[in-house]
Amino acid sequence: MTDKNAEGGCPFNGAAAAPAAVAQPGDAEWHGAQMDFSKSMSYGDYLGLDRILNAQHPLSPNHNEMLFIVQHQTSELWMKLMLHEMHAVRANLQANDLAPAFKMLARVARIMDQLVHAWDVLATMTPSEYTAIRPYLGASSGFQSHQYREIEFILGNKNAALLNVHSTAPDAYALLDAALRTPSVYDEAVQLLARSGLAIAPERLHADWTLATAPDESVKQAWLAVYRAPEKHWALYELAEKLVDLETAFRYWRFRHVTTVERIIGFKTGTGGTAGVSYLRKMLDVVLFPELFELRTAL
């Protein structure tokens, strides 16, 4: 008779046998995954990771500067995606093709959520840690981000004077000058209202595109008509709510920006020469799509 305890080890005798060896894949293969990329494109090749992961060049000896650099570089990548989506949104509005525009606007709002939560990471930098790296930043500042400025412009918050920040960067200047002179996403939404049969004042339809969006009574009344009969104007109603979602997410981002800056540097002047927190607080009052918020009181 076979001794079962000897074969498998009795679980009650305190001396269980060693588990059976499990065969492991060899070095040449792992669960069928491709291992040799000498003749094909790898993950790193596709994403250009060598360039991306070697683009961080701290100037100070302080450990925390890497956080500061990665925070801003990743934000710029998210902004690049935002602009990619917003350019397509504008083109779709011009073409009366709203379904894909809705999807893109929802994506942009989620990108803004990512940027909002990114402040939580930067907020782990203490005032003492930032003070140690600040002398190495020179006059560089997020205020100089041409992608952020283009986002502001494409959303309708335009200011021609801000192009001067980029006077020594011809490509960025040309890009922003074109953005300044092109109708914003909201301008295209207003044009869509008119094409849909809602009355919009001619002066609003032929506005100076280089100026920031200003409230217009005819636009407010048009949106009110949409909200009072959403079943009749469902596509426009959905567009309006997508725009509200986007501006709400943008406001969250601005708020987290100012609170994070205040937490880290207090009320010091920004590296780019602005008034820092005081300047950022003024930006909290900027409304991108004014009529969409005004109408809520009138409903």
Side-chain angles (χ1 to χ4, degrees):
M1 183 174 178
T2 305
D3 185 348
K4 294 183 178 179
N5 287 348
E7 284 185 355
C10 175
F12 302 107
N13 69 5
V22 178
Q24 297 291 332
D27 291 340
E29 53 98 11
W30 183 261
H31 299 287
Q34 180 178 340
M35 294 294 192
D36 182 3
F37 293 92
S38 59
K39 297 181 179 179
S40 60
M41 180 173 62
S42 70
Y43 174 79
D45 295 333
Y46 175 68
L47 294 177
L49 289 182
D50 284 347
R51 295 189 300 277
I52 293 173
L53 297 180
N54 287 287
Q56 297 74 44
H57 306 291
L59 299 178
S60 78
N62 191 278
H63 168 85
N64 299 285
E65 189 180 356
M66 184 63 77
L67 162 61
F68 194 80
I69 293 171
V70 171
Q71 162 82 17
H72 289 83
Q73 287 183 339
T74 53
S75 294
E76 289 290 337
L77 285 172
W78 283 120
M79 286 190 280
K80 181 172 185 175
L81 180 56
M82 280 185 67
L83 288 167
H84 175 72
E85 300 294 339
M86 294 303 296
H87 289 154
V89 167
R90 183 167 57 191
N92 278 278
L93 293 181
Q94 291 170 340
N96 300 325
D97 192 6
L98 298 189
F102 295 156
K103 177 65 182 297
M104 295 166 190
L105 285 168
R107 180 175 292 166
V108 172
R110 298 294 75 77
I111 294 169
M112 289 304 310
D113 287 344
Q114 286 280 86
L115 290 169
V116 168
H117 290 298
W119 291 119
D120 293 335
V121 183
L122 188 60
T124 65
M125 177 175 282
T126 67
S128 298
E129 292 166 349
Y130 177 73
T131 299
I133 70 171
R134 180 167 178 156
Y136 296 87
L137 304 180
S140 63
S141 165
F143 180 78
Q144 299 149 15
S145 167
H146 72 83
Q147 287 198 127
Y148 176 75
R149 191 59 55 204
E150 186 182 358
I151 289 170
E152 291 270 12
F153 283 7
I154 201 169
L155 293 177
N157 186 26
K158 298 181 177 182
N159 184 336
L162 295 178
L163 266 67
N164 295 330
V165 176
H166 307 281
S167 58
T168 58
D171 290 346
Y173 188 97
L175 184 150
L176 289 174
D177 184 62
L180 183 75
R181 301 173 189 282
T182 304
S184 70
V185 164
Y186 190 58
D187 290 330
E188 292 297 346
V190 171
Q191 296 287 332
L192 180 61
L193 289 173
R195 292 197 301 274
S196 300
L198 294 158
I200 303 295
E203 55 270 25
R204 177 62 180 91
L205 294 175
H206 303 285
D208 182 348
W209 306 130
T210 66
L211 300 179
T213 301
D216 181 275
E217 184 62 25
S218 68
V219 173
K220 177 182 174 181
Q221 292 303 318
W223 283 126
L224 271 170
V226 169
Y227 273 76
R228 284 172 174 154
E231 66 287 344
K232 180 181 178 182
H233 306 285
W234 188 260
L236 294 172
Y237 181 64
E238 187 171 359
L239 172 61
E241 285 298 291
K242 293 295 185 188
L243 291 171
V244 169
D245 286 345
L246 173 56
E247 175 154 2
T248 300
F250 203 67
R251 290 181 181 187
Y252 288 153
W253 182 86
R254 281 177 168 156
F255 178 75
R256 288 295 285 121
H257 187 187
V258 68
T259 55
T260 302
V261 170
E262 184 175 359
R263 172 177 176 150
I264 296 175
I265 72 168
F267 289 86
K268 294 176 184 175
T269 300
T271 51
T274 69
V277 169
S278 299
Y279 165 77
L280 293 174
R281 283 183 173 173
K282 290 178 182 177
M283 297 301 100
L284 295 177
D285 293 329
V286 173
V287 181
L288 299 171
F289 315 134
E291 297 86 0
L292 290 177
F293 288 89
E294 291 174 2
L295 71 83
R296 281 151 164 79
T297 304
L299 275 174

